[in-house]
Amino acid sequence: MPKSKAFAMSTIETELANLLTTRTNLQARQAAQAVEVEQAVATRRRLLIEGGDAAAIAEAERACREIEGTAYGITDALSEIERCITEAEARIEAARVDAERERVAGGLEQNASEIEAAAASLTKTLAAVAKAHGMLAITISGAAAGQYDPAYGTASPVDIANALVLQGLVHAMPGLEVHAEINPWSLYSLRQPVEGTDPAATASGFGQRLREIAGSIRRQEIGQDLPVHHDALPDFTPASDEMQVFVISPFQYIGADRVPTMVTSPSTHLPRPVAQRAIELGVATDYQSREWQAAHQDAGLHASVRGSVGWDDCVDIEFDLAAWRRAETERQRSTWLTDQRQAA
C-alpha cells in the first residue's frame, strides 16, 4: 500500500476510535440524564397534585424543560455520532477493498515482469541448446549414422541429433510430455511434428494479458478474487523394491495386505524393509554366511522346508509392512510439504 494511502487509512481508523469513545461517553451521560429527568418530572407531578405555590410549580416546570432539553440534545448528538461512525466504517471498508485491489493488481504486474525475465533466460538457454544440436549433427559422420538403427533403417545425422535432443528433454523434464516421432527414418513411423514458439514472444503476450487484468481490477470491472491453480500432489507411496536374503531361521511378519506371512525358504526375495529388519535381528543375511550354511547343510541349499515348519517355529520379527508403508508415505508427504513451504 502506498505511504499516502496508508496514512489516510490510519487517519480514518483514529477518527473512528475517537467517535466510538465519544459515543460511549454520551451513552453514559444519557443513562444518567434519564434518572434526572425522571426525578424532575416526579417533582413537578407532586407539586401539581398537591397544589403547591405558583413559584414552586414554575421552578419545577423550568427544571423539567431544561433537563429534557439537555436529554434531547444528547439523543440528537448520539444520532449524529452513529451516522459518523457508519460513514467512517464505510470509508475504512472502501480503503480496505482498494488496498486489496492494489495488492492483487501489483502482484500480477510484478509476476508479469518476472515471467518475461525468466522467459528471456529460457530463450538464451534454448539458443545454446540449438547450437549444441547443430554441432552434434555435423559431428556425426555418415558412416557412423548408418550404424545407429540397423533394425529400422539408415538414419541421417540430423535425425539422430533430433532424437537425442528430444530424448534428453524428456529425461531432464519428464513432465514435459513431448509427443513426437524420434525415428522418422522408419517406414512404420507415424511422425507428428511439434510446433515451436518463441518463449520470449509467448511470455510477452502473457505478460500483456496479466497487465490488462490488473487494469480491469483497478477500474472495478472485475473482482480481485481470481482463479488460482494448485498443483496436484505427487505420489508419495514408497517404492516396492525387493532384495535377496538368505534365511537362517524361519520368521514371520505382517505383509502389505495385513496378512501374516511366513518365511521358511533358505533363500528368497523380500520387500527391502522386511529384509533389512530380518538381517538386523540376525534371522537372515544378505550373503551365504557360515550361520546360513550351518542351518541348511542338512536340508540342502535350495530346499524349501515350509511344510515342516509351523507358526510357532517362526521368529516374529515384529514388522508390519502395511504400517511401515503408511508411515513412510506420510513422512515423504510431510517432507515435501515442508520443502514447498520453504521454497514459497
Side-chain angles (χ1 to χ4, degrees):
M1 184 188 304
K3 185 176 181 180
S4 59
K5 291 186 178 180
F7 177 79
M9 174 70 84
S10 176
T11 301
I12 298 173
E13 290 174 343
T14 300
E15 178 184 338
L16 177 60
N18 293 335
L19 288 170
L20 293 174
T21 299
T22 301
R23 181 178 68 179
T24 300
N25 294 336
L26 285 175
Q27 288 172 338
R29 286 187 60 190
Q30 186 181 51
Q33 199 74 24
V35 175
E36 295 178 9
V37 169
E38 180 60 28
Q39 291 174 347
V41 171
T43 299
R44 182 180 62 181
R45 184 187 309 115
R46 180 178 56 79
L47 290 172
L48 290 172
I49 293 174
E50 295 177 353
D53 60 41
I57 292 175
E59 178 60 23
E61 288 284 1
R62 185 197 62 76
C64 282
R65 286 194 301 271
E66 180 178 333
I67 199 166
E68 286 173 346
T70 301
Y72 174 80
I74 293 175
T75 300
D76 179 66
L78 277 171
S79 177
E80 178 62 16
I81 285 290
E82 290 292 350
R83 186 193 66 78
C84 292
I85 288 174
T86 300
E87 181 184 62
E89 289 175 342
R91 288 160 59 196
I92 288 175
E93 177 60 18
R96 186 197 66 78
V97 172
D98 288 344
E100 179 63 13
R101 287 182 178 277
E102 180 59 33
R103 185 190 69 79
V104 175
L108 288 175
E109 290 176 335
Q110 178 181 350
N111 197 219
S113 299
E114 293 168 347
I115 290 172
E116 290 168 344
S121 176
L122 176 61
T123 298
K124 293 180 180 179
T125 302
L126 291 178
V129 171
K131 183 177 180 180
H133 168 269
M135 182 61 65
L136 176 62
I138 64 176
T139 299
I140 302 172
S141 69
Q147 316 306 314
Y148 179 73
D149 192 2
Y152 290 98
T154 301
S156 70
V158 172
D159 287 334
I160 297 172
N162 291 344
L164 291 179
V165 168
L166 286 174
Q167 291 171 337
L169 286 174
V170 173
H171 177 74
M173 297 176 289
L176 196 59
E177 297 183 355
V178 175
H179 297 280
E181 178 55 64
I182 61 173
N183 56 342
W185 53 87
S186 171
L187 295 176
Y188 306 100
S189 296
L190 296 175
R191 185 181 184 185
Q192 297 180 352
V194 178
E195 296 183 2
T197 58
D198 180 3
T202 302
S204 177
F206 186 27
Q208 180 60 31
R209 184 162 67 254
L210 292 179
R211 292 187 178 92
E212 291 172 356
I213 294 174
S216 297
I217 291 175
R218 285 202 176 93
R219 293 189 297 272
Q220 302 185 24
E221 296 172 354
I222 62 175
Q224 66 270 24
D225 295 326
L226 302 177
V228 178
H229 172 72
H230 299 281
D231 291 333
L233 294 178
D235 183 10
F236 300 109
T237 304
S240 301
D241 58 325
E242 295 186 343
M243 66 178 290
Q244 185 180 18
V245 296
F246 297 88
V247 180
I248 298 173
S249 300
F251 61 89
Q252 58 177 298
Y253 68 97
I254 303 299
D257 53 1
R258 303 289 300 152
V259 175
T261 302
M262 182 187 300
V263 180
T264 61
S265 299
S267 65
T268 186
H269 286 79
L270 295 173
R272 185 170 295 276
V274 177
Q276 291 173 340
R277 174 64 173 172
I279 293 172
E280 177 186 349
L281 295 181
V283 295
T285 181
D286 57 355
Y287 65 99
Q288 297 181 5
S289 65
R290 292 181 179 179
E291 292 82 0
W292 176 81
Q293 293 175 2
H296 297 285
Q297 60 183 353
D298 295 332
L301 295 183
H302 302 289
S304 175
V305 294
R306 179 169 183 169
S308 61
V309 176
W311 289 102
D312 293 339
D313 301 318
C314 294
V315 176
D316 187 356
I317 65 173
E318 298 181 352
F319 188 87
D320 188 328
L321 181 59
W324 177 88
R325 289 175 65 84
R326 287 194 303 271
E328 182 65 14
T329 298
E330 181 57 29
R331 185 192 66 78
Q332 293 188 26
R333 178 179 179 277
S334 298
T335 300
W336 184 86
L337 291 174
T338 299
D339 292 342
Q340 294 301 306
R341 285 191 290 267
Q342 292 176 347

